[in-house]
Amino acid sequence: MFDFIRSHRRWMQLVLLLLVVPAFAFFGIEGYVGFMSRDKELAEVNGVAITQPEYDAVRRNQLEELRRLLGAQFDAEAIDTPAFRERILNDMINQRVIAEAAMQGRYTVSDDQVRQTIANIPAVQENGVFSPERYRQVLAAQGMTPTDFEMRVRSDLILSQVLGPIGSTAAVPKQVADELMAALTQERTVALRRFNAEGFEADVQVTDADIQAWYDSNAEQLRLPESVDVEFVVLDEAAASKGLSVPETEIEAYYQQNQARFGQPEQRRVSHILREVAPDADQAAKDAARAKAQEIADQLRADPSQFAALAAELSQDPGSSNQGGDLGWISKDTLVPEVEDAVFKLEPNTISEVIESPFGYHVAVVTDVQPASIKPLDQVKEEVQDEVLRQMASVRFADLATELTNLVYDQRDALEPIAQQLGLELQRAQGLARAGLLPEELFVRQAPLQAGQAEILNNPRVLQVAFSPEVFQDKLNSGVIETSPGSVVALRVEKVNPSAVPPLEQVKELIREQLVAEGALRLAREAGQAALSVIVDGSQPAMGFAAAEVVSRQDARNLNQIELDAVMRLPEGEVPKVIGVDTPMGYSLLEVKAVNAGEPLPAANQAQFKGQLAQAWGRAEEQAALQVLRRLFNVQVLPDGEAIIDGDGNASGR
């Protein structure tokens, strides 16, 4: 497979130096066409542009991959943010920088390295060994030839040489690792006193004038986005079951055909004595164990009443020996096949022959038998009826889904006649925005939401379709949307509600609650700071604190993260000391009484910690080296690149 590469090595190296990474979407014909057509240039690396078509291809591929992974949870607007677009462009820049470094450094890899890398890929192995046939099959399934794949592997190996050695050889200084482990395990004794805002709410007085003033200054914070009122139909199992009934003849027929489902198989109460044999034991050990089991069997045949006592004394099954060998009630497919076959052929209260299994040698007895039985129809009639009804509903669901799919396209401008024709309920809801249903406290609905409507309408697929041009602008019926397995929706926009600020009367209580919460938080912090000041100046001792606890970065006990961070950041030389910290709930006083070294991590944990630390250190060094390369190759994000990141699709070209 490498003959072509070997015989044209110089030519291939030249191609490699020119293209470097065939796998990257921004190399090749597309880049050349972009140059000739003067596409928008988003960034430059060493004077060579990354164009918008190259960027668009990568962004589109990533969004499609996320759509495939997230399914119904995919929300393009939530994902395609400025941070997401900036990361894509930066990744493209970094890949181009690495490729440029590889080209200028004239990195290369041998055929042996390529061959060994491919041979180590599990997907092309059979029984842990490289399989040429499997290799060809996998590549064919991906639409690739061996030559294409080998070039890609060679390119990836070359690129890995740029930053790979930096990360793989990173070593954390011993002193740094030791200090970090000491900080991780260090313990501090601390007492806590909290001033929670909720305790001050009764002291906050909010007048109508306060509410009016807040509204006049901050009304835009309450602005509602554009939303729609929709009508929709839901087809699910409940809708498909509506009006269905199960004839008695169907119940009887289903019961007769499925009696095994409504019965109990034969069960046997089994006891055994096991003499263990290791899987790799030699023949002498096996013979000795069998002989001992045979001796036990002979003894029990002479006196079966000894079974429990002998099991407790001689059985090597720790799970049953202290129960007199009792394994409980056993049904088919419970025990290993060798033992199960023997005990289900054994007459009750009869000592078995010696039974060999992968665990060793068994002597068994069946102490009781429950014959197989079938429940009468009267006892399972409701269960049978429900099952038949589900099957009927499933068939009807498929038929209705097909009809619904056809009708919403045949009659695009109305949903009510379709609902009537199919016997589905036409539901309505108001205030559906692009991000989901508007909250009740900000949007007044003429009718409250019905049970289950919020879950349906907040589905990302439903939101995406509701604001598609045909549905949102033209007010046409949507296609059928699958919201979950066995549930589909079709909808139509009835009305578009423009963005607006709710009137004061509608949000008055909401503003009052916010002002009370803000006032209570302010009073709690003022009270906490006042208590801290009298402790610090010595006019009062530390009072009202809970019992002291020992905390560490691994065990916060009753402290929240903000409190723990404040305690652990306090320099050791300042302990003992009382400190204060703002929290989302109010204000906390923390009396740090002592600092002590914690118990060292176990050796295995230390090794794991150092390994993780070395990986993080290596990644940091790789990023530092990458930043140096970005400066070396004069990386620039151009104005069109900034516009793309900000979401301005109309940025002008250079």
Side-chain angles (χ1 to χ4, degrees):
M1 70 180 71
F2 298 102
D3 290 341
F4 178 81
I5 295 176
R6 288 198 194 95
S7 58
H8 298 80
R9 182 173 299 176
R10 289 185 178 276
W11 185 83
M12 291 303 296
Q13 287 179 341
L14 176 60
V15 172
L16 182 61
L17 292 176
L18 293 176
L19 302 182
V20 184
V21 194
F24 293 154
F26 46 82
F27 276 77
I29 293 298
E30 191 174 59
Y32 176 76
V33 172
F35 171 76
M36 296 301 292
S37 62
R38 306 298 296 173
D39 290 317
K40 291 179 183 178
E41 297 178 354
L42 309 186
E44 281 186 356
V45 177
N46 209 24
V48 179
I50 294 174
T51 65
Q52 184 167 349
E54 295 167 348
Y55 166 86
D56 287 343
V58 175
R59 173 175 165 271
R60 183 168 55 253
N61 289 341
Q62 292 204 16
L63 286 173
E64 285 303 315
E65 180 65 16
L66 288 170
R67 186 192 304 275
R68 185 184 66 81
L69 291 173
L70 297 177
Q73 302 304 313
F74 177 79
D75 183 352
E77 287 194 9
I79 292 171
D80 193 13
T81 61
F84 175 79
R85 295 189 288 271
E86 183 177 23
R87 181 182 62 77
I88 290 175
L89 185 56
N90 265 317
D91 285 348
M92 294 178 70
I93 290 170
N94 291 341
Q95 291 167 350
R96 183 73 65 87
V97 164
I98 294 170
E100 186 73 18
M103 184 172 66
Q104 293 198 12
R106 300 183 182 277
Y107 290 92
T108 186
V109 295
S110 68
D111 290 347
D112 285 341
Q113 287 176 277
V114 176
R115 183 183 297 108
Q116 189 60 44
T117 299
I118 293 174
N120 288 335
I121 299 174
V124 299
Q125 294 177 346
E126 288 185 358
N127 299 320
V129 179
F130 174 77
S131 166
E133 180 63 27
R134 179 68 178 155
Y135 177 57
R136 286 189 290 270
Q137 290 174 354
V138 171
L139 292 187
Q142 300 295 323
M144 298 180 65
T145 67
T147 301
D148 292 337
F149 184 68
E150 287 150 21
M151 282 292 293
R152 178 170 296 186
V153 170
R154 186 181 295 275
S155 300
D156 290 344
L157 289 173
I158 288 173
L159 292 181
S160 70
Q161 295 181 42
V162 177
L163 296 179
I166 297 173
S168 62
T169 59
V172 182
K174 183 178 184 302
Q175 181 179 353
V176 172
D178 290 344
E179 288 180 358
L180 286 173
M181 282 192 291
L184 182 66
T185 58
Q186 186 186 79
E187 297 177 341
R188 298 194 169 199
T189 304
V190 58
L192 171 67
R193 182 183 179 189
R194 287 192 178 119
F195 295 80
N196 288 328
E198 61 183 18
F200 293 84
E201 289 179 354
D203 300 327
V204 179
Q205 301 299 318
V206 176
T207 66
D208 288 346
D210 295 331
I211 295 173
Q212 182 69 59
W214 189 97
Y215 184 81
D216 292 342
S217 301
N218 303 281
E220 279 300 316
Q221 295 183 26
L222 301 175
R223 177 173 289 278
L224 297 173
E226 183 179 51
S227 66
V228 293
D229 298 346
V230 295
E231 57 181 15
F232 60 100
V233 293
V234 179
L235 175 58
D236 54 15
E237 183 180 334
S241 302
K242 187 177 179 182
L244 292 179
S245 60
V246 183
E248 290 292 328
T249 54
E250 291 288 337
I251 295 175
E252 176 68 32
Y254 186 88
Y255 173 76
Q256 294 298 335
Q257 294 167 11
N258 297 273
Q259 285 192 353
R261 292 184 51 189
F262 307 108
Q264 177 177 293
E266 178 184 341
Q267 290 187 310
R268 294 189 162 211
R269 188 73 177 263
V270 177
S271 296
H272 84 138
I273 295 172
L274 169 66
R275 299 301 296 179
E276 282 187 317
V277 178
D280 57 352
D282 58 23
Q283 191 60 45
K286 292 180 179 179
D287 291 344
R290 175 181 280 278
K292 185 61 178 177
Q294 186 63 57
E295 178 186 331
I296 294 171
D298 294 341
Q299 187 174 350
L300 288 172
R301 286 195 186 92
D303 185 3
S305 65
Q306 297 184 66
F307 200 101
L310 289 179
E313 179 185 353
L314 301 174
S315 180
Q316 294 175 318
D317 176 10
S320 66
S321 60
N322 58 357
Q323 304 296 325
D326 185 21
L327 295 173
W329 287 99
I330 303 299
S331 56
K332 289 283 191 180
D333 301 321
T334 303
L335 302 175
V336 293
E338 298 86 349
V339 178
E340 185 174 285
D341 289 345
V343 298
F344 272 88
K345 295 174 183 176
L346 194 61
E347 291 295 326
N349 300 312
T350 301
I351 304 300
S352 72
E353 299 293 335
V354 173
I355 307 165
E356 183 178 359
S357 83
F359 300 102
Y361 298 97
H362 309 253
V363 178
V365 63
V366 175
T367 58
D368 201 356
V369 176
Q370 287 184 351
S373 62
I374 297 176
K375 297 178 183 177
L377 177 58
D378 289 346
Q379 291 184 16
V380 296
K381 185 174 183 178
E382 186 175 339
E383 181 182 348
V384 173
Q385 181 174 313
D386 290 344
E387 179 60 31
V388 175
L389 185 62
R390 276 194 294 271
Q391 293 183 5
M392 295 171 62
S394 177
V395 173
R396 190 180 184 207
F397 175 89
D399 293 339
L400 287 174
T402 300
E403 286 190 68
L404 179 61
T405 301
N406 293 331
L407 289 172
V408 292
Y409 285 112
D410 291 343
Q411 184 174 344
R412 299 300 308 277
D413 59 353
L415 199 55
E416 186 170 8
I418 298 172
Q420 292 175 349
Q421 182 174 339
L422 299 181
L424 299 175
E425 179 188 0
L426 183 68
Q427 303 184 47
R428 289 183 169 86
Q430 301 169 317
L432 181 65
R434 285 176 169 83
L437 286 164
L438 297 175
E440 297 284 351
E441 61 268 22
L442 294 177
F443 186 86
V444 177
R445 293 181 170 84
Q446 295 178 2
L449 293 170
Q450 299 177 27
Q453 285 188 337
E455 182 180 359
I456 292 169
L457 295 175
N458 284 330
N459 184 289
R461 289 183 179 177
V462 173
L463 294 174
Q464 187 175 5
V465 171
F467 289 91
S468 62
E470 282 192 335
V471 178
F472 176 67
Q473 296 173 2
D474 302 336
K475 296 185 173 58
L476 299 179
N477 291 336
S478 74
V480 172
I481 311 160
E482 183 180 20
T483 56
S484 63
S487 179
V488 297
V489 175
L491 63 85
R492 179 176 171 272
V493 170
E494 288 189 296
K495 177 186 174 185
V496 175
N497 306 307
S499 172
V501 175
L504 175 60
E505 285 306 311
Q506 183 177 324
V507 294
K508 188 173 183 179
E509 289 309 310
L510 183 66
I511 296 173
R512 184 188 305 278
E513 291 173 6
Q514 180 171 331
L515 292 177
V516 168
E518 290 174 354
L521 184 62
R522 183 179 64 255
L523 291 177
R525 289 176 175 172
E526 289 173 355
Q529 291 163 359
L532 177 63
S533 65
V534 296
I535 294 173
V536 170
D537 66 22
S539 57
Q540 286 188 15
M543 297 184 299
F545 286 78
E549 293 184 306
V550 176
V551 302
S552 72
R553 289 180 172 87
Q554 300 178 93
D555 184 4
R557 303 301 293 269
N558 292 317
L559 303 187
N560 61 40
Q561 193 60 50
I562 294 174
E563 294 163 344
L564 180 65
D565 288 345
V567 167
M568 302 309 294
R569 279 200 307 267
L570 183 65
E572 292 185 45
E574 297 183 18
V575 176
K577 184 177 183 179
V578 178
I579 59 175
V581 60
D582 288 336
T583 74
M585 294 81 69
Y587 196 81
S588 296
L589 296 183
L590 300 146
E591 184 180 8
V592 185
K593 297 174 175 287
V595 178
N596 296 292
E599 289 291 328
L601 294 172
N605 293 38
Q606 288 190 33
Q608 181 183 19
F609 179 80
K610 289 179 179 178
Q612 294 171 344
L613 189 59
Q615 290 177 1
W617 195 280
R619 288 193 294 269
E621 289 190 353
E622 285 181 358
Q623 289 301 309
L626 185 58
Q627 294 306 312
V628 172
L629 290 174
R630 286 173 67 112
R631 291 194 296 270
L632 178 65
F633 295 130
N634 193 27
V635 168
Q636 297 182 61
V637 176
L638 303 176
D640 282 336
E642 298 285 359
I644 285 290
I645 291 171
D646 292 338
D648 181 4
N650 298 316
S652 60
R654 290 198 312 165

